[in-house]
Amino acid sequence: MKRIVRLLSGLTLLCATGLSLAQDFPNKPIRLIVPFPPGGGTDVLAREAALGVARNTGWNIVAENRPGSGGNIGVDAVAKADPDGYTLVLGQTSNLAINPTLYPKLPYDPEKDLTAIGLIADAPLVIVVPANSPLKSLDDMIAAAKAKPDMLSYASSGNGTVSHLAAVQLQNAAGIKLMHVPYKGAAQASNDLIGGQIDMYLSSVPTLIGHVRNGKMRALAVTSAQRVPDMPDVPTIAERGYPGFEAVTWFGLAAPDGVPPEIVKRLNAEFNKALKTPDLAKKYQEQGARVLTSTPEEFARLIHDDRIRWGKIVKDSGARVE
């Protein structure tokens, strides 16, 4: 009986300690690592989410760009950080679900070295060309590519990223061959497209919608199943003769493995609360993104399932980064 009482007392103390830990959190700034350069879609969504939480809670969340290696440098830094909830990363499909298959020596395992916090958004990709391009539509692009295989160049955010693999899917579906030019960041790729160094750019709508609006780029098609509300005149690839074509990239928060469950729940709750506000939803929509919320468990399942799904596409494409 005494042993049972001690066990119950210990469990009560443990629960009380966990509750106190969550209530006291945070007592210093939280770092939100953005594993891509400033100005891209991931960067914009991360900063808007951080501002939304800060407005509701008064928390100090500092976004920090740590680009490189397809997002691997930033994600790895978080995977190796102290598991206290003060270091987060805004990962996406590429670095959490695709890179484990693409990179044979990836320095982290998203499912073992990270704790899923929750989804924040998803977004389709968009194919754009310079405003002065002779390519006026997706049909024009495909016809030109068939006439001159491997001559039309397209930029992506890197080997094996969603934009690269979506382009591979389109080439397979349309029976064309394009020249792939991987970039490390959106700024340089956008400048080169506008300057005429490359013919096309395939990236997330939040990354490119501003350039389309200001007339520097022309959008040919989006990769979602339905048209994007803030780009209603841009057709989907599916409706241009490729039924079932869909490729979207999701964005979600993660922390190092071992963060106390109470803090994980607190972070998830506060970000979900901010994401459900009409103001943040509107800002995301204006960027061509859709707000998503989830439990940590749901996000962890998505990472696992998409790792299997995209892993097959990576293997079939032959893409590999040493």
Side-chain angles (χ1 to χ4, degrees), residues 72 75 79 92-101 106-116 250 254-257 299-300 303-304 307:
N72 292 344
V75 176
Q92 59 176 192
T93 311
S94 295
N95 44 57
L96 296 185
I98 294 175
N99 287 0
T101 305
L106 195 69
Y108 62 89
D109 184 318
E111 296 186 73
K112 295 179 180 178
D113 300 329
L114 295 170
T115 297
W250 43 253
D257 179 53
F299 184 31
I303 294 171
H304 175 78
R307 182 172 180 169

Side-chain angles (χ1 to χ4, degrees), residues 12-26:
T12 301
L13 180 61
L14 183 62
C15 291
T17 301
L19 182 60
S20 175
L21 188 66
Q23 289 174 338
D24 293 341
F25 178 88

Side-chain angles (χ1 to χ4, degrees), residues 185-291:
Q188 186 60 52
S190 296
N191 289 339
D192 283 0
L193 181 77
I194 294 169
Q197 281 77 37
I198 50 176
D199 298 310
M200 294 176 290
Y201 186 11
L202 185 65
S203 191
S204 69
V205 172
T207 298
L208 298 176
I209 192 170
H211 295 295
V212 174
R213 285 177 177 154
N214 67 23
K216 292 184 178 180
M217 298 180 185
R218 179 188 304 121
L220 302 184
V222 292
T223 63
S224 48
Q226 290 83 35
R227 294 193 181 197
V228 175
D230 274 48
M231 302 175 72
D233 296 329
V234 181
T236 68
I237 291 176
E239 70 183 83
R240 298 311 302 163
Y242 305 95
F245 190 100
E246 184 177 13
V248 298
T249 184
W250 43 253
F251 306 83
L253 293 160
D257 179 53
V259 173
E262 296 79 13
I263 290 179
V264 171
K265 291 178 182 178
R266 183 85 191 278
L267 287 165
N268 175 266
E270 294 299 347
F271 273 94
N272 282 349
K273 181 180 177 181
L275 290 163
K276 290 176 181 177
T277 61
D279 180 59
L280 190 52
K282 181 181 179 182
K283 287 181 178 178
Y284 272 29
Q285 182 179 324
E286 289 172 348
Q287 295 295 325
R290 178 181 64 158
V291 164

